[in-house]
Amino acid sequence: MNLDKTRHLPVVTSSPHVRSTDSVRSIMLDVLISLLPALLVGVFTFGPRALVLTVISVGSCLFFEWGFSRLVHKKNPIGDLSAAVTGVLLAFNLPVAVPLWMPVVGALFAIVIVKQLYGGIGKNIFNPALAARVFLFLAWSSAMTTWTLPRAVLPWFANVADAVTGATPMAILKEGSTSGLDLMAMLTGQTGGCIGETSALALLAGGVYLLIRRVITPRIPVAYLGTVALLSLLFPKTGSGLDWMLYELLGGGLMLGAIFMATDYTTSPSTIRGQWIFGVGCGVITIVIRYFGAYNEGVSFAILLMNAFVWMIDMAAKPRRYGLRRFARLREKFGAKHAGEREAQK
Amino acid sequence: MAHSFRGGIHPDPHKETTAGRAIEALPAPPTVQIPMSMHIGVPAEPLVKAGEHVKMGQKIGDTDAFVSVPVHATVSGTVKSVGMALHPNGARVMSVIIENDGQDELEPLARAMEWQMMTQDEMIALIREAGIVGHGGAAFPTHAKIRSALGKVDAMIINAAECEPYITSDHRVMLEYADDVVAGIRILLRIFSRIRCIIAVENNKPDAVESLRRAIGADNRIKIDLLKTKYPQGGEKQLIRAVTGREVPPGKLPADAGCVVFNVDTVAAINRAFTQGLPDIQRVVTVSGSAITTPKNLLVRVGTPLSALVAACGGYREEPQKMVMGGPMMGVAQFSDEVPVIRGTNAFLAFSENEDRRVDDPVCIRCGRCVQVCPMRLLPTYLYLYASHDMWDECERMHVADCMECGACTFECPGSLHLTQMFRVAKAKAMELRRR
């Protein structure tokens, strides 16, 4: 067959002429899949109300994403599934006894204010789910800190009037105590806490899936968890460092934060060194808040604080330019040799 | 341990369709179209007029410029016309069109003696007279490269990485012309005395390594290094880094890192020039892609229209949606298959589907994959952001000029951004800015 030039001409574009098959949608789908184990454990632990909250949260995130794009005449973006991921993560950050309108307000805040007003996917500075969680936490503190016991029987839809509450591991740790804590329960998620944060095992399984699918790299989780582990090992509030370290690692939202929140593409550095710095920074702030802050848990604040530094971290952690020797940038900046040139440039 | 560099990607190689096929010699076509510019540098001036009879290998274009090479007739016959004609780069350039008389009457390169007796200057002059340019794609004049490197380098690297998907022409050259390659290396080793030579091959071509080893025999001046299979392993700067651990300083030549790099097929062409008196008038071209009926490796005369190559491969299986001269990562898209094979043409690919997935609304989700894969260690995500806001001075400050347009970032981008394309613009704009 010859080329028929009368019919059409082949496409001429700038190279490269092939692309990998990954898309935003395929990545977000992988993230959703990786969140499934934690969701299952959450529903098993806290009952069907957990599922109801998640569905409402996802639904309202998708709705606000669609609604906002309608309002500003943008193409409907919900097909990229990023709003669905935000929805699941937001639900994971809620106690199961919150009223059902709470995730709707959270979704509004996350999608419209934190994400879309900044320009939509890829442009937000703060993690939408985390920012919404902190907003709800500050606005409705008591509802957001009412921790029901695992396996408590809760109504599916009605407001929870008199929940049987208990202290979460983080509250116990805050007191500098470890009495009553059970590592096995913390691994499997049979403790008080938010819907999706309690089972370290399920979250780790999701993390392994993301690593295998190359959606995330181990850098941020390893730096984050490693820093928390090291600091708690060195400075236990009580008992042996090793025990204390395990409780700190498995308690609260650390696993959820380190694996799923701090690794959010848009709000974390893209340079390799930057990712290490970011993880370590999250770890340090988490421990500082847990040890000295007014709140029991510091993961959300730690990640949000570090979110604000992403651009700066990336610029500082730029990889060494090809062809330059080590520390060339430092020399360029501070070395006496180049001072004259700098003056001349000014 | 295979040598490598930081970054890079692993595109689907698609090499199996042609890697096992022996090189077929394509008979010279009835007419050849030979552009006066098939290299980086000053175009040659035509030396012949319409109606003149030329022999195969006769010089039909030349200039006095240093970074340039003469151009030769690739068939014997009559010059049909001298004028502007379509070049694979998309422009119309001065070209000589020769009607083939089918005699292949050769005018060999003028040589006074065997190369073992020649002086360094004579040898380099012969390489220039033979019109030899880099066969890897960029087509930099080889004599200019040698001159720039003389006395500065201690390592000669033979680039046999062939990291672009689909292309197997160098692979076949190593299998079938290994003796030519090694003989060419020995010629270069005489020009660069006291230098070590490393042939760098990706570790997915063990048969090529075996074939080269046999050809090298006991010659301990030549060593083979295995490279990790990844793109762009054959990029000059990545290759130097992988083989020697050195890096070429920004804006400098490989010679400044003590290295000189030649493509494996270039070396074979050098040997043909010295032993057979044959100038750079033929080369091996991989013809492949989903729209080609029988993908093949063809030995063709420079100036042969691409359509003749396709016909030799059984024609198009389907209407091609995209045609590319060169590899899918860095090759140049073609809208016509009537353009000629030039000295730097290592492949012609035709795809029945445009595999470059384009979307209406590319979006950056800041996943950072481009940063992880960039072999020049740039920050494509930030460069793109600056470039899309016309902040060319910021692009310049972030060294957009270092971008070698390998396309790794664009390949990897899940948001389907046109990163490489944007950086081409940014490089030009930054250059403009610097000139002012």
Side-chain angles (χ1 to χ4, degrees), chain B residues 58-337:
Chain B
Q58 183 184 330
K59 207 149 74 161
I60 55 171
D62 204 352
T63 109
D64 293 334
F66 173 61
V67 185
S68 184
V69 284
V71 177
H72 305 80
T74 59
V75 294
S76 62
T78 317
V79 176
K80 205 161 124 192
S81 64
V82 178
M84 303 308 255
L86 192 61
H87 186 279
N89 70 7
R92 303 184 83 80
V93 304
M94 183 58 76
S95 307
V96 173
I97 293 167
I98 303 171
E99 205 151 343
N100 185 3
D101 63 7
Q103 302 300 311
D104 278 357
E105 205 182 329
L106 178 69
E107 181 179 292
L109 292 164
R111 237 178 348 153
M113 56 197 115
E114 286 299 300
W115 63 266
Q116 286 88 346
M117 319 289 286
M118 290 164 86
T119 64
Q120 193 183 54
D121 275 346
E122 285 169 343
M123 291 175 86
I124 298 173
L126 186 70
I127 288 174
R128 184 192 177 279
E129 280 307 296
I132 289 173
V133 297
H135 277 193
F140 189 78
T142 301
H143 73 93
K145 190 181 242 182
I146 295 174
R147 288 262 182 228
S148 77
L150 272 181
K152 283 202 243 171
V153 298
D154 62 357
M156 173 163 85
I157 303 171
I158 306 302
N159 189 349
E162 200 164 58
C163 55
E164 278 254 18
Y166 291 96
I167 309 181
T168 56
S169 53
D170 284 356
H171 189 175
R172 291 311 306 182
V173 164
M174 287 186 275
L175 288 177
E176 299 179 43
Y177 308 147
D179 290 328
D180 274 357
V181 171
V182 173
I185 293 174
R186 293 199 175 112
I187 293 168
L188 284 168
L189 282 174
R190 186 177 146 81
I191 298 177
F192 296 97
S193 44
R194 284 195 300 279
I195 188 175
R196 66 196 168 105
C197 172
I198 302 125
I199 307 179
V201 192
E202 274 191 351
N203 59 8
N204 59 352
K205 306 177 188 69
D207 48 348
V209 173
E210 200 41 53
S211 155
L212 287 170
R213 229 171 236 146
R214 225 174 297 130
I216 295 168
D219 196 337
N220 57 11
R221 295 172 301 172
I222 308 168
K223 199 179 124 206
I224 298 178
D225 256 10
L226 283 183
L227 306 170
K228 219 163 146 182
T229 302
K230 84 173 159 184
Y231 178 87
Q233 189 64 265
E236 202 168 49
K237 287 176 170 157
Q238 285 63 43
L239 194 69
I240 291 171
R241 165 80 213 209
V243 173
T244 66
R246 300 176 200 160
E247 293 185 355
V248 183
K252 295 282 178 62
L253 293 171
D256 295 293
C259 297
V260 61
V261 183
F262 298 103
N263 171 268
V264 65
D265 193 44
T266 314
V267 179
I270 290 174
N271 178 58
R272 282 195 293 272
F274 279 83
T275 58
Q276 301 166 29
L278 209 59
D280 199 355
I281 60 170
Q282 62 177 34
R283 66 157 303 138
V284 181
V285 180
T286 301
V287 183
S288 188
S290 49
I292 300 289
T293 308
T294 323
K296 280 178 185 174
N297 279 299
L298 298 170
L299 178 65
V300 299
R301 304 283 172 86
V302 168
T304 307
L306 295 175
S307 55
L309 275 65
V310 174
C313 293
Y316 294 108
R317 185 205 303 260
E318 284 169 88
E319 190 85 20
Q321 299 298 309
K322 187 167 233 180
M323 306 190 301
V324 178
M325 179 175 282
M329 294 302 298
M330 290 188 80
V332 183
Q334 305 292 322
F335 60 85
S336 162
D337 58 4

Side-chain angles (χ1 to χ4, degrees), chain A:
Chain A
M1 190 165 127
N2 288 323
L3 199 61
D4 182 1
K5 286 162 207 78
T6 54
R7 284 209 303 152
H8 81 297
L9 290 172
V11 185
V12 174
T13 54
S14 182
S15 68
H17 308 291
V18 282
R19 278 178 187 272
S20 75
T21 49
D22 280 359
S23 64
V24 177
R25 186 189 166 88
S26 74
I27 289 172
M28 292 303 162
L29 196 61
D30 270 338
V31 176
L32 286 176
I33 291 170
S34 71
L35 287 166
L36 270 181
L39 178 64
L40 290 178
V41 174
V43 173
F44 173 77
T45 312
F46 298 112
R49 189 183 174 89
L51 190 63
V52 171
L53 282 169
T54 308
V55 169
I56 292 176
S57 173
V58 172
S60 34
C61 277
L62 290 172
F63 172 78
F64 289 123
E65 181 106 330
W66 168 82
F68 189 87
S69 65
R70 273 293 294 260
L71 201 68
V72 299
H73 299 291
K74 278 206 297 189
K75 209 182 128 200
N76 180 6
I78 65 170
D80 67 24
L81 296 180
S82 64
V85 170
T86 302
V88 176
L89 288 174
L90 174 63
F92 275 19
N93 276 298
L94 299 174
V96 71
V98 295
L100 295 187
W101 53 262
M102 200 84 101
V104 182
V105 176
L108 178 71
F109 189 81
I111 296 294
V112 176
I113 294 177
V114 183
K115 184 178 176 189
Q116 289 297 347
L117 288 185
Y118 277 85
I121 185 167
K123 307 225 169 54
N124 48 303
I125 297 171
F126 298 103
N127 185 317
L130 270 186
R133 172 208 160 103
V134 167
F135 166 68
L136 296 177
F137 174 72
L138 296 175
W140 291 282
S141 296
S142 73
M144 285 293 286
T145 49
T146 303
W147 311 107
T148 51
L149 290 174
R151 308 301 186 74
V153 182
L154 296 174
W156 282 45
F157 299 108
N159 279 355
V160 181
D162 47 351
V164 189
T165 59
T168 63
M170 288 326 293
I172 299 169
L173 290 173
K174 189 80 187 180
E175 302 297 317
S177 150
T178 57
S179 62
L181 288 182
D182 174 7
L183 276 182
M184 212 50 204
M186 289 165 83
L187 268 175
T188 54
Q190 303 311 303
T191 63
C194 297
I195 292 171
E197 72 178 16
T198 54
S199 168
L201 224 48
L203 292 165
L204 281 171
V208 169
Y209 176 79
L210 289 181
L211 284 176
I212 292 171
R213 300 282 298 163
R214 291 176 183 275
V215 172
I216 61 169
T217 64
R219 286 185 279 270
I220 291 175
V222 165
Y224 194 167
L225 297 174
T227 305
V228 169
L230 186 73
L231 290 176
S232 49
L233 185 71
L234 293 178
F235 309 109
K237 275 189 174 174
T238 178
S240 86
L242 201 63
D243 277 353
W244 181 260
M245 179 190 89
L246 287 175
Y247 290 127
E248 286 282 358
L249 277 180
L250 299 180
L254 183 60
M255 286 292 165
L256 182 63
I259 297 170
F260 294 97
M261 303 291 212
T263 55
D264 170 38
Y265 287 152
T266 306
T267 57
S268 67
S270 48
T271 55
I272 293 175
R273 276 186 280 185
Q275 292 174 350
W276 288 113
I277 296 171
F278 182 82
V280 170
C282 286
V284 170
I285 299 175
T286 300
I287 283 289
V288 167
I289 295 176
R290 280 185 179 183
Y291 275 38
F292 311 111
Y295 303 115
N296 295 341
E297 175 56 307
V299 169
S300 314
F301 293 105
I303 297 174
L304 285 174
L305 273 173
M306 289 307 289
N307 283 166
F309 291 100
V310 163
W311 189 287
M312 243 185 274
I313 293 174
D314 262 350
M315 286 304 134
K318 257 189 288 196
R320 179 170 56 91
R321 185 183 182 192
Y322 178 97
L324 291 188
R325 285 183 300 150
R326 271 170 213 294
F327 307 115
R329 253 172 81 222
L330 279 181
R331 268 197 297 277
E332 214 171 284
K333 220 162 193 155
F334 303 108
K337 197 179 142 206
H338 298 283
E341 288 171 29
R342 273 208 315 278
E343 287 304 311
Q345 270 177 10
K346 278 175 198 163

